[in-house]
Amino acid sequence: MLAILALLIVPAHNVEAATTTDLEYGLLAKINEARAEHGLRPLRGNTGVWAVAGTRAARLASTNILSHSVPGSIAAQLNARDVQWYAYGEDIGYTRARRGAAAVDELFRLWKASPPHWQLMMSSNYNYIGVGLAYRASNNKTFGSLVFTESRDVTRPRAYMDGASLNGSTATWSWHGADPVLQTHTAGIRSYDVQTSRDSGSWRTVASGTTATSRSWGGLSPGHIYRMRVRARDRAGNVGAWVILRVRP
């Protein structure tokens, strides 16, 4: 059930957080599969939001109370985790279904059957999510918290090496970038940083903040390895991982 009319406060004991994030990510996968069926972008996990959801689920289990207020202020908890937000929401619930995947399936079914809860899960405004699950052994209840936020883009962009061509002693590398598309507030690619290295030498920055998607390096000598690496930046200031492509003339 998703809500109760009578609340009973029980001393905290025998409460366990979900022992594996596989269950939480499994629940997120169910949500995003349903969102895709409704033409929506996937909600992306956010470390800070995820931690808030986990704390809230554990507090629900420790008190044995299904209440949005008992776990404390979501706004304060998000702020404490340095999560920027424009708006937030939360779905909570519990089930006595067998612990594990069966509990995840039942929580998803219960939320789906409740229009207000389902509306949050299928929102066209929220772009990030945290999933928390906690099990109370004394009464075999699994409590869940889904915390949603509409936030600035904090997802790292990606650079991809398309290839390298060799013309005499000159090699030309090419690449492109992509910023994972969020439901809202996708920043988009702004620029790239480019570094080069010969053999196992140190990296040298040859371009910073460039919008170019190719670069040539001339005067290459046979018998050496020439490396170029690129990383992407988006308009929100997020920086992606380096990607490397090697050339041997």
Side-chain angles (χ1 to χ4, degrees), residues 1-11 60 63-71 92 94 141 143:
M1 60 189 300
L2 293 175
I4 52 179
L5 297 178
L7 301 180
L8 175 64
I9 299 177
V10 179
L60 293 175
T63 59
N64 197 33
I65 297 176
L66 194 63
S67 164
H68 291 285
S69 60
V70 165
I92 57 175
Y94 73 77
K141 287 183 180 179
F143 286 81

Side-chain angles (χ1 to χ4, degrees), residues 40-108:
L40 298 166
R41 296 290 182 180
L43 295 170
R44 296 196 174 271
N46 175 292
T47 302
V49 183
W50 206 277
V52 169
T55 297
R56 295 180 68 81
R59 289 180 181 174
L60 293 175
S62 68
T63 59
N64 197 33
I65 297 176
L66 194 63
S67 164
H68 291 285
S69 60
V70 165
S73 165
I74 295 178
Q77 291 162 2
L78 291 173
N79 293 340
R81 294 278 181 177
D82 294 323
V83 176
Q84 181 277 332
W85 54 272
Y86 301 110
Y88 62 81
E90 182 185 36
D91 281 348
I92 57 175
Y94 73 77
T95 177
R96 285 193 174 93
R98 188 173 55 189
R99 184 183 182 188
V104 169
D105 291 343
E106 179 65 5
L107 281 171
F108 181 79

Side-chain angles (χ1 to χ4, degrees), residues 49-223:
V49 183
W50 206 277
V52 169
T55 297
R56 295 180 68 81
R59 289 180 181 174
L60 293 175
S62 68
T63 59
N64 197 33
I65 297 176
L66 194 63
S67 164
H68 291 285
S69 60
V70 165
S73 165
I74 295 178
Q77 291 162 2
L78 291 173
N79 293 340
R81 294 278 181 177
D82 294 323
V83 176
Q84 181 277 332
W85 54 272
Y86 301 110
Y88 62 81
E90 182 185 36
D91 281 348
I92 57 175
Y94 73 77
T95 177
R96 285 193 174 93
R98 188 173 55 189
R99 184 183 182 188
V104 169
D105 291 343
E106 179 65 5
L107 281 171
F108 181 79
R109 186 190 69 78
L110 291 170
W111 282 322
K112 184 176 182 179
S114 170
H117 295 81
W118 189 243
Q119 184 177 358
L120 286 182
M121 296 164 73
M122 298 296 109
S123 169
S124 60
N125 295 319
Y126 297 125
N127 50 9
Y128 288 101
I129 188 173
V131 180
L133 297 171
Y135 177 70
R136 184 183 178 90
S138 63
N139 54 13
N140 297 314
K141 287 183 180 179
T142 298
F143 286 81
S145 168
L146 304 177
V147 177
F148 308 88
T149 69
E150 179 192 355
S151 301
R152 287 194 297 265
D153 187 346
V154 294
T155 302
R156 299 172 72 186
R158 301 169 184 168
Y160 300 88
M161 282 293 192
D162 295 325
S165 61
L166 189 63
N167 183 10
S169 63
T170 298
T172 300
W173 285 258
S174 60
W175 59 84
H176 72 280
D179 198 19
V181 179
L182 308 175
Q183 181 63 42
T184 59
H185 304 290
T186 304
I189 296 293
R190 183 183 69 187
S191 62
Y192 303 94
D193 299 327
V194 185
Q195 293 185 338
T196 58
S197 172
R198 175 173 142 160
D199 296 327
S200 58
S202 59
W203 291 100
R204 179 174 65 94
T205 299
V206 295
S208 181
T210 182
T211 57
T213 54
S214 66
R215 190 175 181 91
S216 297
W217 187 355
L220 309 187
S221 301

